mmCIF file of all heavy atoms in Angstrom:
data_model
loop_
_atom_site.group_PDB
_atom_site.id
_atom_site.type_symbol
_atom_site.label_atom_id
_atom_site.label_comp_id
_atom_site.label_asym_id
_atom_site.label_seq_id
_atom_site.Cartn_x
_atom_site.Cartn_y
_atom_site.Cartn_z
ATOM 1 N N GLN A 63 10.263 19.801 3.077
ATOM 2 C CA GLN A 63 11.498 20.528 2.771
ATOM 3 C C GLN A 63 11.316 22.028 2.987
ATOM 4 O O GLN A 63 12.143 22.669 3.631
ATOM 5 C CB GLN A 63 11.927 20.251 1.330
ATOM 6 C CG GLN A 63 13.219 20.935 0.934
ATOM 7 C CD GLN A 63 14.412 20.400 1.683
ATOM 8 O OE1 GLN A 63 14.463 19.250 2.051
ATOM 9 N NE2 GLN A 63 15.391 21.257 1.911
ATOM 10 N N SER A 64 10.234 22.589 2.483
ATOM 11 C CA SER A 64 10.028 24.038 2.662
ATOM 12 C C SER A 64 9.793 24.375 4.135
ATOM 13 O O SER A 64 10.230 25.422 4.608
ATOM 14 C CB SER A 64 8.876 24.540 1.786
ATOM 15 O OG SER A 64 7.664 23.943 2.151
ATOM 16 N N THR A 65 9.132 23.472 4.854
ATOM 17 C CA THR A 65 8.937 23.676 6.291
ATOM 18 C C THR A 65 10.270 23.693 7.013
ATOM 19 O O THR A 65 10.545 24.583 7.829
ATOM 20 C CB THR A 65 8.036 22.560 6.869
ATOM 21 O OG1 THR A 65 6.754 22.619 6.241
ATOM 22 C CG2 THR A 65 7.895 22.690 8.374
ATOM 23 N N LEU A 66 11.118 22.724 6.704
ATOM 24 C CA LEU A 66 12.414 22.637 7.376
ATOM 25 C C LEU A 66 13.338 23.789 6.990
ATOM 26 O O LEU A 66 14.163 24.224 7.804
ATOM 27 C CB LEU A 66 13.072 21.285 7.096
ATOM 28 C CG LEU A 66 12.360 20.095 7.749
ATOM 29 C CD1 LEU A 66 13.004 18.783 7.324
ATOM 30 C CD2 LEU A 66 12.335 20.225 9.265
ATOM 31 N N GLU A 67 13.194 24.321 5.787
ATOM 32 C CA GLU A 67 13.974 25.503 5.410
ATOM 33 C C GLU A 67 13.616 26.677 6.313
ATOM 34 O O GLU A 67 14.504 27.378 6.814
ATOM 35 C CB GLU A 67 13.707 25.875 3.944
ATOM 36 C CG GLU A 67 14.327 24.943 2.947
ATOM 37 C CD GLU A 67 13.881 25.231 1.519
ATOM 38 O OE1 GLU A 67 13.100 26.194 1.308
ATOM 39 O OE2 GLU A 67 14.304 24.498 0.620
ATOM 40 N N ARG A 68 12.326 26.878 6.525
ATOM 41 C CA ARG A 68 11.878 27.979 7.394
ATOM 42 C C ARG A 68 12.302 27.738 8.839
ATOM 43 O O ARG A 68 12.686 28.669 9.535
ATOM 44 C CB ARG A 68 10.370 28.135 7.310
ATOM 45 C CG ARG A 68 9.899 28.652 5.979
ATOM 46 C CD ARG A 68 8.382 28.778 5.951
ATOM 47 N NE ARG A 68 7.940 29.267 4.678
ATOM 48 C CZ ARG A 68 7.787 30.560 4.378
ATOM 49 N NH1 ARG A 68 8.056 31.462 5.285
ATOM 50 N NH2 ARG A 68 7.375 30.929 3.191
ATOM 51 N N VAL A 69 12.206 26.507 9.280
ATOM 52 C CA VAL A 69 12.561 26.177 10.655
ATOM 53 C C VAL A 69 14.067 26.356 10.873
ATOM 54 O O VAL A 69 14.486 26.856 11.925
ATOM 55 C CB VAL A 69 12.111 24.739 10.998
ATOM 56 C CG1 VAL A 69 12.718 24.254 12.294
ATOM 57 C CG2 VAL A 69 10.597 24.668 11.060
ATOM 58 N N TYR A 70 14.877 25.977 9.904
ATOM 59 C CA TYR A 70 16.328 26.112 10.055
ATOM 60 C C TYR A 70 16.729 27.570 10.272
ATOM 61 O O TYR A 70 17.567 27.878 11.121
ATOM 62 C CB TYR A 70 17.057 25.537 8.842
ATOM 63 C CG TYR A 70 18.557 25.698 8.957
ATOM 64 C CD1 TYR A 70 19.292 24.880 9.806
ATOM 65 C CD2 TYR A 70 19.228 26.678 8.240
ATOM 66 C CE1 TYR A 70 20.655 25.029 9.941
ATOM 67 C CE2 TYR A 70 20.594 26.836 8.362
ATOM 68 C CZ TYR A 70 21.301 26.012 9.217
ATOM 69 O OH TYR A 70 22.649 26.164 9.346
ATOM 70 N N VAL A 71 16.120 28.453 9.503
ATOM 71 C CA VAL A 71 16.438 29.875 9.625
ATOM 72 C C VAL A 71 16.131 30.378 11.042
ATOM 73 O O VAL A 71 16.851 31.207 11.583
ATOM 74 C CB VAL A 71 15.656 30.691 8.567
ATOM 75 C CG1 VAL A 71 15.783 32.178 8.806
ATOM 76 C CG2 VAL A 71 16.130 30.321 7.170
ATOM 77 N N ALA A 72 15.086 29.839 11.643
ATOM 78 C CA ALA A 72 14.674 30.276 12.981
ATOM 79 C C ALA A 72 15.070 29.264 14.050
ATOM 80 O O ALA A 72 14.493 29.252 15.136
ATOM 81 C CB ALA A 72 13.164 30.493 12.997
ATOM 82 N N TRP A 73 16.048 28.384 13.764
ATOM 83 C CA TRP A 73 16.345 27.281 14.673
ATOM 84 C C TRP A 73 16.730 27.741 16.079
ATOM 85 O O TRP A 73 16.405 27.085 17.063
ATOM 86 C CB TRP A 73 17.423 26.361 14.114
ATOM 87 C CG TRP A 73 17.625 25.188 15.019
ATOM 88 C CD1 TRP A 73 18.716 24.908 15.776
ATOM 89 C CD2 TRP A 73 16.669 24.166 15.310
ATOM 90 N NE1 TRP A 73 18.510 23.774 16.510
ATOM 91 C CE2 TRP A 73 17.251 23.294 16.233
ATOM 92 C CE3 TRP A 73 15.378 23.903 14.875
ATOM 93 C CZ2 TRP A 73 16.602 22.185 16.737
ATOM 94 C CZ3 TRP A 73 14.725 22.792 15.366
ATOM 95 C CH2 TRP A 73 15.327 21.941 16.288
ATOM 96 N N ARG A 74 17.402 28.854 16.213
ATOM 97 C CA ARG A 74 17.791 29.329 17.541
ATOM 98 C C ARG A 74 16.537 29.514 18.405
ATOM 99 O O ARG A 74 16.509 29.131 19.559
ATOM 100 C CB ARG A 74 18.564 30.640 17.424
ATOM 101 C CG ARG A 74 19.161 31.102 18.741
ATOM 102 C CD ARG A 74 20.052 32.303 18.580
ATOM 103 N NE ARG A 74 21.115 32.007 17.619
ATOM 104 C CZ ARG A 74 21.601 32.893 16.756
ATOM 105 N NH1 ARG A 74 21.145 34.118 16.745
ATOM 106 N NH2 ARG A 74 22.551 32.556 15.918
ATOM 107 N N ARG A 75 15.489 30.067 17.817
ATOM 108 C CA ARG A 75 14.224 30.272 18.527
ATOM 109 C C ARG A 75 13.468 28.951 18.684
ATOM 110 O O ARG A 75 12.919 28.659 19.740
ATOM 111 C CB ARG A 75 13.377 31.268 17.726
ATOM 112 C CG ARG A 75 12.407 32.041 18.519
ATOM 113 C CD ARG A 75 11.679 33.096 17.689
ATOM 114 N NE ARG A 75 11.453 32.675 16.309
ATOM 115 C CZ ARG A 75 11.764 33.416 15.249
ATOM 116 N NH1 ARG A 75 12.302 34.585 15.377
ATOM 117 N NH2 ARG A 75 11.529 32.971 14.034
ATOM 118 N N VAL A 76 13.448 28.141 17.635
ATOM 119 C CA VAL A 76 12.712 26.872 17.652
ATOM 120 C C VAL A 76 13.345 25.885 18.630
ATOM 121 O O VAL A 76 12.653 25.249 19.424
ATOM 122 C CB VAL A 76 12.671 26.230 16.242
ATOM 123 C CG1 VAL A 76 11.990 24.880 16.274
ATOM 124 C CG2 VAL A 76 11.983 27.151 15.263
ATOM 125 N N GLY A 77 14.665 25.768 18.577
ATOM 126 C CA GLY A 77 15.369 24.810 19.421
ATOM 127 C C GLY A 77 15.211 25.076 20.904
ATOM 128 O O GLY A 77 15.287 24.152 21.718
ATOM 129 N N THR A 78 14.979 26.318 21.265
ATOM 130 C CA THR A 78 14.811 26.658 22.677
ATOM 131 C C THR A 78 13.340 26.783 23.074
ATOM 132 O O THR A 78 13.045 27.080 24.234
ATOM 133 C CB THR A 78 15.538 27.981 23.011
ATOM 134 O OG1 THR A 78 14.990 29.028 22.200
ATOM 135 C CG2 THR A 78 17.030 27.849 22.780
ATOM 136 N N ALA A 79 12.436 26.556 22.154
ATOM 137 C CA ALA A 79 11.002 26.644 22.453
ATOM 138 C C ALA A 79 10.587 25.501 23.376
ATOM 139 O O ALA A 79 11.249 24.460 23.438
ATOM 140 C CB ALA A 79 10.191 26.582 21.160
ATOM 141 N N ASP A 80 9.486 25.705 24.098
ATOM 142 C CA ASP A 80 8.968 24.660 24.988
ATOM 143 C C ASP A 80 8.608 23.398 24.217
ATOM 144 O O ASP A 80 8.814 22.292 24.690
ATOM 145 C CB ASP A 80 7.740 25.168 25.745
ATOM 146 C CG ASP A 80 8.096 26.220 26.785
ATOM 147 O OD1 ASP A 80 9.272 26.250 27.213
ATOM 148 O OD2 ASP A 80 7.201 26.999 27.156
ATOM 149 N N ASP A 81 8.033 23.576 23.021
ATOM 150 C CA ASP A 81 7.607 22.434 22.213
ATOM 151 C C ASP A 81 7.993 22.663 20.748
ATOM 152 O O ASP A 81 7.189 23.179 19.970
ATOM 153 C CB ASP A 81 6.093 22.237 22.355
ATOM 154 C CG ASP A 81 5.616 20.954 21.718
ATOM 155 O OD1 ASP A 81 6.435 20.217 21.124
ATOM 156 O OD2 ASP A 81 4.393 20.673 21.806
ATOM 157 N N PRO A 82 9.215 22.297 20.370
ATOM 158 C CA PRO A 82 9.643 22.508 18.985
ATOM 159 C C PRO A 82 8.755 21.792 17.968
ATOM 160 O O PRO A 82 8.545 22.281 16.861
ATOM 161 C CB PRO A 82 11.067 21.942 18.945
ATOM 162 C CG PRO A 82 11.504 21.844 20.349
ATOM 163 C CD PRO A 82 10.272 21.717 21.179
ATOM 164 N N ASP A 83 8.203 20.628 18.343
ATOM 165 C CA ASP A 83 7.322 19.897 17.423
ATOM 166 C C ASP A 83 6.087 20.726 17.074
ATOM 167 O O ASP A 83 5.645 20.739 15.931
ATOM 168 C CB ASP A 83 6.902 18.558 18.025
ATOM 169 C CG ASP A 83 8.072 17.592 18.138
ATOM 170 O OD1 ASP A 83 8.868 17.520 17.182
ATOM 171 O OD2 ASP A 83 8.187 16.929 19.173
ATOM 172 N N ALA A 84 5.520 21.389 18.061
ATOM 173 C CA ALA A 84 4.343 22.229 17.825
ATOM 174 C C ALA A 84 4.691 23.382 16.891
ATOM 175 O O ALA A 84 3.915 23.728 15.988
ATOM 176 C CB ALA A 84 3.793 22.760 19.139
ATOM 177 N N TYR A 85 5.860 23.960 17.081
ATOM 178 C CA TYR A 85 6.307 25.061 16.227
ATOM 179 C C TYR A 85 6.421 24.578 14.777
ATOM 180 O O TYR A 85 5.917 25.222 13.856
ATOM 181 C CB TYR A 85 7.663 25.565 16.725
ATOM 182 C CG TYR A 85 8.150 26.821 16.057
ATOM 183 C CD1 TYR A 85 8.067 28.047 16.702
ATOM 184 C CD2 TYR A 85 8.725 26.791 14.791
ATOM 185 C CE1 TYR A 85 8.530 29.212 16.104
ATOM 186 C CE2 TYR A 85 9.188 27.935 14.178
ATOM 187 C CZ TYR A 85 9.099 29.145 14.838
ATOM 188 O OH TYR A 85 9.550 30.284 14.226
ATOM 189 N N VAL A 86 7.050 23.431 14.593
ATOM 190 C CA VAL A 86 7.259 22.896 13.241
ATOM 191 C C VAL A 86 5.914 22.528 12.604
ATOM 192 O O VAL A 86 5.691 22.778 11.422
ATOM 193 C CB VAL A 86 8.225 21.693 13.271
ATOM 194 C CG1 VAL A 86 8.325 21.016 11.919
ATOM 195 C CG2 VAL A 86 9.601 22.151 13.748
ATOM 196 N N ARG A 87 5.013 21.929 13.397
ATOM 197 C CA ARG A 87 3.675 21.600 12.881
ATOM 198 C C ARG A 87 2.968 22.847 12.391
ATOM 199 O O ARG A 87 2.340 22.857 11.335
ATOM 200 C CB ARG A 87 2.841 20.941 13.978
ATOM 201 C CG ARG A 87 2.575 19.496 13.771
ATOM 202 C CD ARG A 87 1.523 18.942 14.711
ATOM 203 N NE ARG A 87 1.597 19.382 16.083
ATOM 204 C CZ ARG A 87 2.351 18.846 17.040
ATOM 205 N NH1 ARG A 87 3.116 17.806 16.753
ATOM 206 N NH2 ARG A 87 2.332 19.323 18.258
ATOM 207 N N ARG A 88 3.050 23.908 13.158
ATOM 208 C CA ARG A 88 2.402 25.163 12.784
ATOM 209 C C ARG A 88 2.982 25.709 11.484
ATOM 210 O O ARG A 88 2.259 26.158 10.601
ATOM 211 C CB ARG A 88 2.550 26.182 13.921
ATOM 212 C CG ARG A 88 1.942 27.538 13.634
ATOM 213 C CD ARG A 88 0.418 27.417 13.551
ATOM 214 N NE ARG A 88 -0.197 28.635 13.128
ATOM 215 C CZ ARG A 88 -0.740 29.513 13.944
ATOM 216 N NH1 ARG A 88 -0.742 29.313 15.233
ATOM 217 N NH2 ARG A 88 -1.307 30.595 13.457
ATOM 218 N N VAL A 89 4.294 25.657 11.351
ATOM 219 C CA VAL A 89 4.938 26.115 10.118
ATOM 220 C C VAL A 89 4.444 25.274 8.933
ATOM 221 O O VAL A 89 4.140 25.805 7.864
ATOM 222 C CB VAL A 89 6.484 26.049 10.244
ATOM 223 C CG1 VAL A 89 7.151 26.308 8.904
ATOM 224 C CG2 VAL A 89 6.973 27.053 11.289
ATOM 225 N N MET A 90 4.312 23.952 9.136
ATOM 226 C CA MET A 90 3.860 23.070 8.056
ATOM 227 C C MET A 90 2.411 23.372 7.657
ATOM 228 O O MET A 90 2.093 23.456 6.465
ATOM 229 C CB MET A 90 3.986 21.599 8.464
ATOM 230 C CG MET A 90 3.580 20.643 7.343
ATOM 231 S SD MET A 90 3.692 18.908 7.790
ATOM 232 C CE MET A 90 5.450 18.715 7.919
#
Side-chain angles (χ1 to χ4, degrees):
Q63 182 66 31
S64 63
T65 298
L66 291 175
E67 287 172 2
R68 291 180 180 270
V69 168
Y70 178 75
V71 171
W73 184 248
R74 188 173 303 144
R75 206 175 34 230
V76 176
T78 60
D80 290 338
D81 189 358
D83 292 318
Y85 188 103
V86 173
R87 250 192 318 275
R88 179 67 187 262
V89 171
M90 182 181 291

